Amino acid sequence: AMAGGAVLGVTVMFKTGVTGEVLGVSGSTRGLLYAPTLGKFNFILGLVVSGIIMNQLHGGFEELPPLDQSTGDRVRFLLRLGFGGAMVGFGTALGNGCTSGHGLTGLARLALRSWVAVPTFMFCAAVAATAFGTATDLPPQPFREEDSVTVEGTLIISAILFAVVLVAFAAAAVYWRRNPEAEPAVKGKIAAELFSGLVFGAGLSLSTMVRPSKVAGFLDFGSGRWDGSLMF
């Protein structure tokens, strides 16, 4: 999780530094509906394409709903998933950000509203997950974990991506230092959005944030099998 987190962090720095815009998944998604731009589209496209690539390259993606559920349980699970998704969408719109915009970018920028928002939504998420037994409904899927790349492989992929982002960021910084009057070209910013989406999506996979069982296990304190691996 720490290796993937490092990739997420350096991607936030890259996107903000090169495009001048804060990295936020919910903000970009909402922007596609109300103020669509090619940059926002490319960022979301990068996330989707990255998920497809990392599923093959890194593995570990889990089935939703879990395959061993009965038909009735699957229907109940899908209804709950839909309601939860709607509530998260409403919450991110009301709070003007999510775990990426507030949690990664906002906290790093010492934004007061992010330091209020993050503890608030993490506390509420933990209460909801514990009250409704989310970890029980989303148990680990061992066969998926066996398909994933080893820890050594994860570290290697993370190190390569981290280095690539740093090199790209350094190249942009050198260019602007030599050309202080130059503004980032539109095509360059659009390419940077796509690149940011691709790498950010890879970081989510490497940190195991794409495994619902990991997130549920971290937030649910009443299941008897709390999983704190997302901190490490």
Side-chain angles (χ1 to χ4, degrees), residues 60-64 138-141 144-145 210-214:
F61 283 57
E62 295 178 340
E63 301 286 348
L64 284 181
L138 288 171
Q141 299 179 15
R144 287 299 179 189
E145 295 194 11
V210 296
R211 296 184 189 177
S213 66
K214 284 285 185 181

Side-chain angles (χ1 to χ4, degrees), residues 80 129-130 132-140 213 216-218 220-221 223 225:
R80 179 178 171 184
T130 302
F132 292 100
T134 304
T136 302
D137 286 338
L138 288 171
S213 66
F218 180 74
D220 187 348
F221 290 90
S223 64
R225 52 174 184 272

Side-chain angles (χ1 to χ4, degrees), residues 38-114:
L38 188 55
K40 290 184 175 65
F41 174 81
N42 274 7
F43 178 71
I44 298 300
L45 176 64
L47 289 175
V48 174
V49 173
S50 181
I52 297 173
I53 294 174
M54 291 302 291
N55 187 36
Q56 300 298 320
L57 181 63
H58 187 256
F61 283 57
E62 295 178 340
E63 301 286 348
L64 284 181
L67 295 177
D68 57 353
Q69 285 187 340
S70 64
T71 302
D73 287 339
R74 289 171 70 86
V75 171
R76 180 181 63 84
F77 180 88
L78 289 173
L79 290 174
R80 179 178 171 184
L81 194 65
F83 176 76
M87 291 300 293
V88 168
F90 176 75
T92 55
L94 187 64
N96 200 31
C98 58
T99 50
S100 55
H102 279 310
L104 290 175
T105 308
L107 293 183
R109 295 170 60 232
L110 301 181
L112 178 59
R113 66 177 184 176
S114 294

Side-chain angles (χ1 to χ4, degrees), residues 89-217:
F90 176 75
T92 55
L94 187 64
N96 200 31
C98 58
T99 50
S100 55
H102 279 310
L104 290 175
T105 308
L107 293 183
R109 295 170 60 232
L110 301 181
L112 178 59
R113 66 177 184 176
S114 294
W115 282 90
V116 173
V118 173
T120 300
F121 63 61
M122 289 299 294
F123 174 77
C124 293
V127 170
T130 302
F132 292 100
T134 304
T136 302
D137 286 338
L138 288 171
Q141 299 179 15
F143 68 97
R144 287 299 179 189
E145 295 194 11
E146 292 172 0
D147 288 342
S148 62
V149 174
T150 61
V151 174
E152 292 78 8
T154 297
L155 291 175
I156 292 174
I157 296 174
S158 299
I160 292 173
L161 289 174
F162 190 87
V164 169
V165 176
L166 282 183
V167 169
F169 200 5
V174 169
Y175 173 78
W176 288 326
R177 185 177 181 84
R178 294 180 176 177
N179 304 273
E181 302 301 324
E183 290 290 336
V186 174
K187 291 183 179 180
K189 292 181 67 173
I190 292 175
E193 292 279 6
L194 178 61
F195 177 73
S196 298
L198 287 168
V199 181
F200 194 80
L204 290 175
S205 176
L206 293 167
S207 63
T208 67
M209 287 289 289
V210 296
R211 296 184 189 177
S213 66
K214 284 285 185 181
V215 179

